[in-house]
Amino acid sequence: TLAWGPLQAFFPHFFKEEKWQVWKEIVTTLLFVSVIATANMLYAVVRFDQPLNWRTFAYWQFGAWAVGIFPTLYGVLRKQVQLMQRYAAEAADLTRQLHPSPPHPAEPALLLNGENQGESLQIHPDDLLCLAAADNYVQVFYRENGAIRQRLLRGALRRFEAALAPYPRFFRCHRTYVVNLDRVIRISGNAQGYKLHLDGLEPTVPVSRALNDEIRKRF
């Protein structure tokens, strides 16, 4: 997706890392092939006086796709299989290295303040599982009386990340997630990267590929 950096600003939802799929990789690669074919066509029009019409355009596109489609399919699928095998093996190794962290009973209660008036959540840091960005809000997942609770607080994720800065076990592992590493019980992996499984929490927490090295150091 590096070749499509400028487009990510206009279509951020399409290029979201956590929603990236094989078909998107194939489509963007073939679009890149089409761009190259168009550039070659324009060169032929200027250099060799080829007519500039839809027939010429179709000729160059067909030629580029005929040559590029099978290497593209093979390359993308092979890359996906390699990434899946790699991250699955690394995740299994990281899971074996996990050790339960002792509680921190002496720590004071943590106060998370939302931007709305009177909006706050006070919990012990050990009970906070993760925070997930949701537009202009943050979804807080925490444990209370043995049950998993959720609370929606207004504000940017970086606002709450700053409040968690004194606690090294909280780590922003993704653009939209801050996770309590002490509550990770298992790590899995697929072609998109690592997935963190938290104690008692059903949805998994993704890890940005750019932070793979950092997450391995943390564990």
Side-chain angles (χ1 to χ4, degrees), residues 145-157:
N145 298 325
I148 303 298
R149 309 288 185 186
Q150 299 181 32
R151 178 74 181 276
L152 200 63
L153 300 177
R154 183 175 178 83
L157 186 59

PDB file of all heavy atoms in Angstrom, residues 145-157:
ATOM      1  N   ASN A 145     -16.338  -6.066  40.126  1.00  0.00           N
ATOM      2  CA  ASN A 145     -17.015  -7.141  40.867  1.00  0.00           C
ATOM      3  C   ASN A 145     -17.035  -8.452  40.076  1.00  0.00           C
ATOM      4  O   ASN A 145     -18.041  -9.170  40.042  1.00  0.00           O
ATOM      5  CB  ASN A 145     -18.446  -6.729  41.236  1.00  0.00           C
ATOM      6  CG  ASN A 145     -18.478  -5.515  42.143  1.00  0.00           C
ATOM      7  OD1 ASN A 145     -17.598  -5.339  42.998  1.00  0.00           O
ATOM      8  ND2 ASN A 145     -19.478  -4.665  41.977  1.00  0.00           N
ATOM      9  N   GLY A 146     -15.929  -8.731  39.402  1.00  0.00           N
ATOM     10  CA  GLY A 146     -15.785  -9.984  38.681  1.00  0.00           C
ATOM     11  C   GLY A 146     -16.416 -10.009  37.305  1.00  0.00           C
ATOM     12  O   GLY A 146     -16.319 -11.022  36.605  1.00  0.00           O
ATOM     13  N   ALA A 147     -17.059  -8.923  36.889  1.00  0.00           N
ATOM     14  CA  ALA A 147     -17.711  -8.863  35.578  1.00  0.00           C
ATOM     15  C   ALA A 147     -17.032  -7.818  34.698  1.00  0.00           C
ATOM     16  O   ALA A 147     -16.441  -6.856  35.198  1.00  0.00           O
ATOM     17  CB  ALA A 147     -19.192  -8.528  35.730  1.00  0.00           C
ATOM     18  N   ILE A 148     -17.109  -8.026  33.382  1.00  0.00           N
ATOM     19  CA  ILE A 148     -16.543  -7.075  32.430  1.00  0.00           C
ATOM     20  C   ILE A 148     -17.571  -5.976  32.150  1.00  0.00           C
ATOM     21  O   ILE A 148     -18.722  -6.253  31.793  1.00  0.00           O
ATOM     22  CB  ILE A 148     -16.144  -7.765  31.113  1.00  0.00           C
ATOM     23  CG1 ILE A 148     -15.158  -8.896  31.392  1.00  0.00           C
ATOM     24  CG2 ILE A 148     -15.544  -6.760  30.140  1.00  0.00           C
ATOM     25  CD1 ILE A 148     -13.861  -8.436  32.001  1.00  0.00           C
ATOM     26  N   ARG A 149     -17.147  -4.740  32.327  1.00  0.00           N
ATOM     27  CA  ARG A 149     -18.015  -3.589  32.092  1.00  0.00           C
ATOM     28  C   ARG A 149     -17.453  -2.748  30.949  1.00  0.00           C
ATOM     29  O   ARG A 149     -16.273  -2.838  30.605  1.00  0.00           O
ATOM     30  CB  ARG A 149     -18.108  -2.718  33.348  1.00  0.00           C
ATOM     31  CG  ARG A 149     -18.457  -3.467  34.622  1.00  0.00           C
ATOM     32  CD  ARG A 149     -19.889  -3.918  34.636  1.00  0.00           C
ATOM     33  NE  ARG A 149     -20.250  -4.523  35.912  1.00  0.00           N
ATOM     34  CZ  ARG A 149     -21.412  -5.118  36.170  1.00  0.00           C
ATOM     35  NH1 ARG A 149     -22.326  -5.189  35.208  1.00  0.00           N
ATOM     36  NH2 ARG A 149     -21.655  -5.652  37.352  1.00  0.00           N
ATOM     37  N   GLN A 150     -18.337  -1.912  30.393  1.00  0.00           N
ATOM     38  CA  GLN A 150     -17.940  -0.960  29.365  1.00  0.00           C
ATOM     39  C   GLN A 150     -18.467   0.419  29.747  1.00  0.00           C
ATOM     40  O   GLN A 150     -19.561   0.548  30.283  1.00  0.00           O
ATOM     41  CB  GLN A 150     -18.499  -1.349  27.999  1.00  0.00           C
ATOM     42  CG  GLN A 150     -18.040  -2.695  27.490  1.00  0.00           C
ATOM     43  CD  GLN A 150     -18.610  -2.991  26.113  1.00  0.00           C
ATOM     44  OE1 GLN A 150     -18.831  -2.091  25.310  1.00  0.00           O
ATOM     45  NE2 GLN A 150     -18.846  -4.267  25.833  1.00  0.00           N
ATOM     46  N   ARG A 151     -17.667   1.426  29.412  1.00  0.00           N
ATOM     47  CA  ARG A 151     -18.099   2.808  29.679  1.00  0.00           C
ATOM     48  C   ARG A 151     -17.604   3.691  28.545  1.00  0.00           C
ATOM     49  O   ARG A 151     -16.445   3.594  28.123  1.00  0.00           O
ATOM     50  CB  ARG A 151     -17.496   3.282  31.023  1.00  0.00           C
ATOM     51  CG  ARG A 151     -17.831   4.713  31.397  1.00  0.00           C
ATOM     52  CD  ARG A 151     -19.263   4.869  31.865  1.00  0.00           C
ATOM     53  NE  ARG A 151     -19.553   6.262  32.182  1.00  0.00           N
ATOM     54  CZ  ARG A 151     -19.275   6.840  33.362  1.00  0.00           C
ATOM     55  NH1 ARG A 151     -18.730   6.115  34.338  1.00  0.00           N
ATOM     56  NH2 ARG A 151     -19.569   8.112  33.575  1.00  0.00           N
ATOM     57  N   LEU A 152     -18.487   4.521  28.033  1.00  0.00           N
ATOM     58  CA  LEU A 152     -18.156   5.415  26.933  1.00  0.00           C
ATOM     59  C   LEU A 152     -17.872   6.805  27.484  1.00  0.00           C
ATOM     60  O   LEU A 152     -18.733   7.411  28.132  1.00  0.00           O
ATOM     61  CB  LEU A 152     -19.315   5.457  25.930  1.00  0.00           C
ATOM     62  CG  LEU A 152     -18.995   5.954  24.518  1.00  0.00           C
ATOM     63  CD1 LEU A 152     -17.999   5.016  23.833  1.00  0.00           C
ATOM     64  CD2 LEU A 152     -20.272   6.050  23.686  1.00  0.00           C
ATOM     65  N   LEU A 153     -16.660   7.302  27.230  1.00  0.00           N
ATOM     66  CA  LEU A 153     -16.254   8.623  27.688  1.00  0.00           C
ATOM     67  C   LEU A 153     -15.897   9.482  26.482  1.00  0.00           C
ATOM     68  O   LEU A 153     -15.227   9.016  25.561  1.00  0.00           O
ATOM     69  CB  LEU A 153     -15.052   8.542  28.630  1.00  0.00           C
ATOM     70  CG  LEU A 153     -15.229   7.720  29.918  1.00  0.00           C
ATOM     71  CD1 LEU A 153     -13.924   7.672  30.697  1.00  0.00           C
ATOM     72  CD2 LEU A 153     -16.348   8.296  30.780  1.00  0.00           C
ATOM     73  N   ARG A 154     -16.324  10.724  26.510  1.00  0.00           N
ATOM     74  CA  ARG A 154     -16.033  11.619  25.398  1.00  0.00           C
ATOM     75  C   ARG A 154     -14.595  12.125  25.490  1.00  0.00           C
ATOM     76  O   ARG A 154     -14.125  12.517  26.556  1.00  0.00           O
ATOM     77  CB  ARG A 154     -16.999  12.803  25.384  1.00  0.00           C
ATOM     78  CG  ARG A 154     -16.791  13.732  24.186  1.00  0.00           C
ATOM     79  CD  ARG A 154     -17.840  14.821  24.123  1.00  0.00           C
ATOM     80  NE  ARG A 154     -17.595  15.727  23.004  1.00  0.00           N
ATOM     81  CZ  ARG A 154     -17.980  15.500  21.751  1.00  0.00           C
ATOM     82  NH1 ARG A 154     -18.653  14.400  21.471  1.00  0.00           N
ATOM     83  NH2 ARG A 154     -17.718  16.358  20.790  1.00  0.00           N
ATOM     84  N   GLY A 155     -13.899  12.103  24.341  1.00  0.00           N
ATOM     85  CA  GLY A 155     -12.527  12.597  24.301  1.00  0.00           C
ATOM     86  C   GLY A 155     -11.671  11.779  23.359  1.00  0.00           C
ATOM     87  O   GLY A 155     -12.034  10.665  22.966  1.00  0.00           O
ATOM     88  N   ALA A 156     -10.540  12.347  22.975  1.00  0.00           N
ATOM     89  CA  ALA A 156      -9.599  11.648  22.104  1.00  0.00           C
ATOM     90  C   ALA A 156      -8.816  10.609  22.902  1.00  0.00           C
ATOM     91  O   ALA A 156      -8.600  10.768  24.109  1.00  0.00           O
ATOM     92  CB  ALA A 156      -8.641  12.640  21.447  1.00  0.00           C
ATOM     93  N   LEU A 157      -8.382   9.563  22.224  1.00  0.00           N
ATOM     94  CA  LEU A 157      -7.649   8.500  22.901  1.00  0.00           C
ATOM     95  C   LEU A 157      -6.368   9.024  23.531  1.00  0.00           C
ATOM     96  O   LEU A 157      -5.967   8.582  24.614  1.00  0.00           O
ATOM     97  CB  LEU A 157      -7.335   7.373  21.907  1.00  0.00           C
ATOM     98  CG  LEU A 157      -6.691   6.115  22.484  1.00  0.00           C
ATOM     99  CD1 LEU A 157      -7.581   5.487  23.549  1.00  0.00           C
ATOM    100  CD2 LEU A 157      -6.399   5.111  21.384  1.00  0.00           C
TER     101      LEU A 157
END
